[in-house]
Amino acid sequence: SKVTFEWTNQHSCSDENNNCEIILQYMCEKSLRDGSVVSRIPLNPIQCEDWDCSKDIKFGMHEHLDSYLRCRATQRGYVYSADQLFNSRQARILKDKMRYSAIRTRQNPNGIRYGYECPEERDYYPYWNPSQWRDIAILTKDIGRCPYYQ
């Protein structure tokens, strides 16, 4: 098999003062797919064909619902959060403890959902909880870091 990777970095990797590392990951699952609509895959099964969003091919699915629900129930790790308060109206409605869920990160303080991905797992590497994602390549300009990743 042959795979082509293309990406755009959010921040500069060419600056000598910037420690830039890019991690490419993959996941193999038979149920993963692209969808035919651009709307987000629902959490409520009543919105899916045969009440089963995992089989409704109209929606793209790049992670499983179980993974997202586990993330939502997981207490956020002790990571730098800057001045983010993680105190959205939605969090107060769901319960105060949801404010500390792994679905809220410094980059995503209101827990906006993109499919079934876990924002904390996406935003922090290496992730400290079990993950379905596997590293395929790590690009770094500091070869002294290679033993860390091996």
Side-chain angles (χ1 to χ4, degrees):
S1 295
K2 195 176 200 180
V3 178
T4 301
F5 290 96
E6 294 182 30
W7 67 89
T8 301
N9 296 337
Q10 182 179 2
H11 303 289
S12 169
C13 283
S14 59
D15 187 312
E16 66 183 50
N17 293 318
N18 189 357
N19 181 24
C20 184
E21 295 181 336
I22 298 170
I23 291 91
L24 302 177
Q25 296 180 312
Y26 73 97
M27 181 194 314
C28 292
E29 283 287 332
K30 290 180 181 179
S31 60
L32 302 182
R33 62 184 181 269
D34 287 333
S36 59
V37 297
V38 294
S39 55
R40 186 178 350 193
I41 189 168
L43 288 175
N44 186 346
I46 200 169
Q47 297 173 295
C48 297
E49 186 176 321
D50 296 329
W51 290 50
D52 188 351
C53 296
S54 67
K55 294 182 180 171
D56 189 342
I57 61 171
K58 172 175 60 175
F59 298 103
M61 191 172 81
H62 304 109
E63 297 192 44
H64 292 282
L65 175 61
D66 293 344
S67 175
Y68 178 77
L69 295 176
R70 186 172 40 254
C71 176
R72 191 170 73 175
T74 299
Q75 182 175 348
R76 191 174 69 239
Y78 298 99
V79 296
Y80 177 70
S81 61
D83 59 355
Q84 301 292 339
L85 298 176
F86 305 103
N87 193 15
S88 70
R89 179 171 111 52
Q90 180 184 11
R92 289 190 300 275
I93 291 170
L94 289 175
K95 288 185 185 174
D96 190 53
K97 75 177 205 172
M98 283 299 291
R99 200 173 1 163
Y100 304 103
S101 167
I103 64 170
R104 300 181 195 297
T105 67
R106 182 171 58 91
Q107 293 87 350
N108 188 22
N110 291 323
I112 296 169
R113 188 172 65 83
Y114 300 97
Y116 293 150
E117 75 176 354
C118 180
E120 187 177 68
E121 179 182 21
R122 176 199 63 214
D123 292 348
Y124 299 102
Y125 183 88
Y127 191 53
W128 41 85
N129 285 321
S131 173
Q132 300 165 312
W133 293 96
R134 300 290 170 248
D135 296 347
I136 192 170
I138 298 167
L139 310 176
T140 179
K141 67 180 187 176
D142 180 2
I143 61 172
R145 300 269 298 146
C146 292
Y148 172 78
Y149 287 117
Q150 291 178 337

